[in-house]
């Protein structure tokens, strides 16, 4: 075994600061409103000592080594845990540099494996950039073929294994500043910011003294309706501004470098993130047209893979935050050329339209009828919801479709935004054809495919396509047919 190494000593302070932030902030809010700040500072001093001591023990007990073909990790204060992670299980390596890492000139390395879930299999919070590059090269480099010989080694350079990631990139694609601003202005994260503000206020309210809370509520209630609407608009604009700033900070300096077998996605102004993803690990491409961006012709592209995803992107990897549809084919041809294909669809038949409307309108119609019965004309405002649901049902019907050709299959459907899924036959875990009793009467079916992702797996389904189309897709996937079949559905 190679010599066991520890992370940089700065890991002690980074882990301590991370733990303190999570604990100290709620305590500080409570202490401020309860007027017991001196107790808070006394407790904080104790927490700092305990946190640093615990972080030192964690740092001391965490050791790792890199050997040919695997990563060995041992850790644990009270229970010692040893892990061997084979290189073939490593799906993606994420190198990032948050504020704390940048203070010490270090980076954080997350190593994702197949079946590792949303959390990284191994996280090194403080290593040098050189060490991170070495880990990435050793764990993601493709194994050499059996036919590799001494002559090839000489070509690679004095018998040393070639490091493909250290080569010059084949192509570099960059998100321009104008596109970054468009991304920020059309970001849908304004809803998340609003939710976070509401959640924070709801948690903070319980610590506010009753007298202050009651006075504030009384003042708000006494305001006129017009002023309340004005305040709501101001909060909405403020949330939109905050979400735009967050988007710019998150996706600033976004660029993709492509190599023969990997791509490296880099982004971030404050926390710089660098994700290395092997082409062979990609299981599907997902093209999203949100309702905000669709009128302007913009789309976002995500990658499904067995590792590399994060919680903010529902386990997927954002390949490009914003690109115009007319540029999409050229972009895919540059970054993931295998997926730069035409995707002609066999649309849902006209007999399916009724089902899309029924599915969308049943609940709004029942609720509106109940509201009219209880509150009279005010309840008729529910007609607005019915109108919006009808428009959405129409678009869901028009967007539904599927197709397959060669080794690729694609589905298109809409919930709120439109999604186009493209996957390869050998990357699909399973497919399913479902026919309900009501669908059977109309000769319709639901087609679903499952692929491996950062989570347990992801399913994509298109509803109410014709049974003939579903049968053709089912036959296309059947291993009784050749993988290289060029049959078109």
């Amino acid at each position: 075994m190679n010599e066991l190494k520890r992370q940089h000593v700065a890991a002690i302070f980074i882990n301590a600061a991370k733990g303190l932030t999570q604990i100290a902030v709620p305590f500080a809010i409570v202490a401020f409103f309860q007027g017991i700040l001196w107790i808070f500072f006394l407790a904080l001093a104790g927490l700092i000592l305990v946190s640093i001591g615990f972080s030192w023990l964690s740092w001391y007990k965490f050791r790792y080594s890199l050997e040919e073909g695997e990563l060995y990790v041992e850790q644990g204060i009270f229970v010692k845990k040893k892990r061997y992670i084979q290189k073939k299980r490593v799906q993606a390596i994420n190198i990032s540099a948050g504020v704390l890492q940048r203070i010490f000139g270090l980076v954080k390395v997350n190593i994702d494996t197949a079946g590792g879930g949303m959390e990284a299999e191994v996280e090194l919070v403080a290593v040098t950039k050189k060490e991170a590059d070495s880990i990435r090269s050793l764990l993601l480099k493709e194994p050499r073929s059996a036919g590799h010989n001494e002559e090839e080694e000489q070509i690679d350079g004095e018998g040393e294994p070639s490091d493909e990631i250290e080569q010059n990139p084949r192509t570099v694609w960059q998100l321009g500043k104008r596109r970054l601003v468009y991304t920020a202005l059309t970001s849908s994260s304004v809803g998340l910011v609003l939710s976070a503000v509401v959640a924070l206020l709801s948690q903070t309210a319980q610590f506010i003294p009753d007298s202050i809370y009651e006075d504030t509520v009384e003042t708000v209630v006494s305001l006129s309706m017009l002023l309340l609407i004005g305040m709501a608009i101001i909060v909405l604009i403020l949330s939109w501004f905050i979400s735009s700033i967050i988007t710019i900070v998150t996706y600033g300096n976004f660029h993709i470098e492509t190599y023969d077998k990997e791509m490296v996605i880099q982004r971030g102004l404050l926390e710089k993130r660098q994700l290395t993803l092997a082409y062979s690990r990609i299981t599907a491409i997902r093209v999203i047209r949100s309702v905000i961006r669709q009128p302007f012709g913009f789309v976002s592209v995500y990658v499904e893979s067995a590792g590399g995803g994060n919680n903010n992107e529902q386990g997927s990897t954002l390949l490009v935050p914003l690109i115009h549809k007319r540029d999409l084919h050229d972009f895919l041809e540059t970054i993931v050329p295998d997926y730069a294909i035409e995707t002609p669809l066999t649309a849902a038949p006209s007999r399916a339209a009724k089902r899309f409307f029924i599915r969308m309108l049943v609940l709004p119609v029942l609720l509106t009828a109940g509201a009219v019965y209880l509150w009279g004309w005010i309840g008729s405002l529910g007609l607005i919801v019915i109108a919006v649901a009808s428009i959405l049902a129409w678009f869901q019907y028009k967007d539904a479709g599927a197709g397959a050709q060669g080794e690729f299959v694609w589905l298109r459907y809409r919930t709120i935004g439109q999604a186009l899924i493209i996957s390869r036959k050998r990357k699909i875990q399973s497919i399913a054809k479902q026919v309900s009793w009501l669908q059977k009467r109309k000769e319709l079916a639901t087609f679903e495919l499952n692929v491996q992702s950062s989570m347990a797996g992801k399913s994509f389904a298109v509803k109410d396509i014709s049974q003939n189309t579903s049968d053709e897709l089912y036959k296309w996937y059947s291993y009784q047919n050749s993988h290289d079949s060029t049959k078109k559905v």
Side-chain angles (χ1 to χ4, degrees):
M1 179 184 293
N2 291 340
E3 182 183 356
L4 290 170
K5 295 184 282 188
R6 290 191 175 89
Q7 300 178 72
H8 193 281
V9 71
I12 299 171
F13 303 100
I14 293 173
N15 282 330
K18 186 178 175 183
L20 279 172
T21 304
Q22 294 174 347
I23 298 173
V25 171
F27 278 8
I29 294 174
V30 174
F32 177 78
F33 285 108
Q34 299 295 329
I36 51 173
L37 280 176
W38 66 274
I39 295 179
F40 164 73
F41 286 116
L42 191 63
L44 182 63
L47 278 174
I48 290 173
L49 291 176
V50 171
S51 183
I52 289 178
F54 188 80
S55 298
W56 180 84
L57 275 175
S58 297
W59 169 81
Y60 185 76
K61 291 292 185 180
F62 187 104
R63 298 193 298 174
Y64 69 97
S65 68
L66 284 164
E67 300 177 22
E68 191 63 32
E70 67 182 12
L71 170 68
Y72 169 75
V73 177
E74 64 176 38
Q75 65 184 122
I77 298 175
F78 302 109
V79 178
K80 200 165 188 176
K81 185 177 179 182
K82 297 180 180 179
R83 278 180 293 174
Y84 289 93
I85 301 172
Q86 295 181 343
K87 184 168 74 172
K88 64 183 181 182
R89 286 193 61 228
V90 176
Q91 299 293 328
I93 293 182
N94 190 347
I95 300 174
S96 60
V99 175
L100 293 175
Q101 279 85 7
R102 292 171 72 176
I103 290 174
F104 295 99
L106 303 170
V107 297
K108 180 172 73 174
V109 180
N110 286 343
I111 299 169
D112 295 327
T113 60
M118 292 298 295
E119 300 296 329
E121 183 76 25
V122 175
E123 182 179 84
L124 306 174
V125 298
V127 295
T128 63
K129 183 67 167 60
K130 183 180 178 181
E131 175 73 358
D133 290 338
S134 175
I135 292 171
R136 182 179 63 178
S137 298
L138 285 170
L139 293 181
L140 275 185
K141 188 173 60 184
E142 293 291 334
R144 294 177 171 234
S145 65
H148 182 75
N149 54 36
E150 293 183 359
E151 184 178 352
E152 289 173 320
E153 288 186 351
Q154 293 300 323
I155 293 174
D156 291 337
E158 299 181 358
E160 292 295 323
S162 65
D163 189 345
E164 297 174 18
I165 295 178
E166 295 300 329
Q167 294 176 353
N168 291 328
R170 191 178 60 197
T171 63
V172 178
W173 187 92
Q174 189 153 12
L175 184 73
K177 292 180 180 177
R178 182 180 296 180
R179 288 289 170 84
L180 178 61
V181 172
Y182 290 165
T183 304
L185 296 179
T186 58
S187 171
S188 58
S189 59
V190 60
L192 297 177
V193 174
L194 266 174
S195 303
V197 170
V198 171
L200 181 63
L201 289 176
S202 65
Q203 293 298 315
T204 306
Q206 59 184 312
F207 302 119
I208 299 175
D210 292 343
S211 58
I212 298 176
Y213 182 81
E214 289 170 2
D215 289 345
T216 303
V217 172
E218 189 176 336
T219 302
V220 172
V221 170
S222 65
L223 297 176
S224 67
M225 181 60 73
L226 192 61
L227 192 57
L228 288 174
I229 293 174
M231 289 176 62
I233 293 174
I234 290 173
V235 170
L236 191 61
I237 292 175
L238 186 62
S239 299
W240 174 67
F241 177 75
I242 293 173
S243 71
S244 297
I245 296 297
I246 292 174
T247 302
I248 288 175
V249 170
T250 304
Y251 298 118
N253 193 32
F254 188 101
H255 64 280
I256 306 172
E257 296 176 354
T258 65
Y259 298 84
D260 290 342
K261 296 178 180 176
E262 302 94 358
M263 71 171 83
V264 180
I265 305 172
Q266 302 189 57
R267 72 188 195 197
L269 296 181
L270 286 181
E271 181 179 7
K272 295 187 176 180
R273 185 183 179 202
Q274 184 184 76
L275 174 67
T276 303
L277 186 63
Y279 288 120
S280 59
R281 315 292 162 82
I282 295 174
T283 57
I285 296 286
R286 189 157 54 97
V287 181
I288 300 297
R289 301 176 72 186
S290 71
V291 291
I292 299 175
R293 292 172 176 169
Q294 186 168 352
F296 304 101
F298 291 119
V299 300
S300 304
V301 183
Y302 291 82
V303 166
E304 304 299 338
S305 64
N310 59 56
N311 288 320
N312 294 333
E313 294 161 7
Q314 291 81 49
S316 305
T317 298
L318 184 62
L319 189 59
V320 59
L322 188 85
I323 192 169
H324 201 278
K325 193 180 177 185
R326 63 171 175 267
D327 301 325
L328 180 61
H329 185 270
D330 290 343
F331 170 80
L332 293 177
E333 201 165 58
T334 302
I335 306 301
V336 279
D338 289 348
Y339 288 84
I341 60 173
E342 298 296 328
T343 55
L345 289 160
T346 301
S350 57
R351 61 180 180 276
K354 190 176 178 181
R355 284 184 52 81
F356 284 90
F357 280 92
I358 291 174
R359 198 159 42 234
M360 284 298 299
L361 293 178
V362 166
L363 189 58
V365 167
L366 290 176
L367 290 177
T368 301
V372 170
Y373 177 77
L374 292 173
W375 300 304
W377 68 270
I378 295 179
S380 63
L381 293 175
L383 292 174
I384 298 173
V385 178
I386 293 175
V388 173
S390 300
I391 294 171
L392 184 57
W394 170 255
F395 279 106
Q396 287 182 341
Y397 160 62
K398 297 298 290 184
D399 286 339
Q405 190 168 16
E407 59 175 327
F408 288 92
V409 65
W410 49 90
L411 313 177
R412 193 178 74 181
Y413 59 87
R414 176 184 291 273
T415 47
I416 303 296
Q418 182 198 82
L420 172 67
I421 315 299
I422 306 173
S423 186
R424 306 175 90 150
K425 181 185 287 184
R426 65 173 182 266
K427 298 294 183 182
I428 297 174
Q429 299 286 306
S430 65
I431 65 166
K433 173 191 168 187
Q434 302 171 29
V435 182
S436 69
W437 177 74
L438 292 174
Q439 284 178 317
K440 188 175 181 179
R441 295 179 57 196
K442 297 288 185 180
E443 297 182 347
L444 301 173
T446 297
F447 183 79
E448 177 181 317
L449 66 84
N450 301 281
V451 296
Q452 198 172 9
S453 74
S454 296
M455 297 184 286
K458 276 196 173 178
S459 299
F460 306 101
V462 56
K463 297 178 179 177
D464 295 328
I465 57 176
S466 73
Q467 283 198 27
N468 286 338
T469 303
S470 182
D471 289 340
E472 289 296 327
L473 292 172
Y474 200 82
K475 291 176 184 174
W476 167 86
Y477 185 72
S478 169
Y479 277 81
Q480 293 177 7
N481 299 324
S482 166
H483 279 276
D484 296 325
S485 168
T486 56
K487 185 176 182 180
K488 179 179 177 181
V489 177

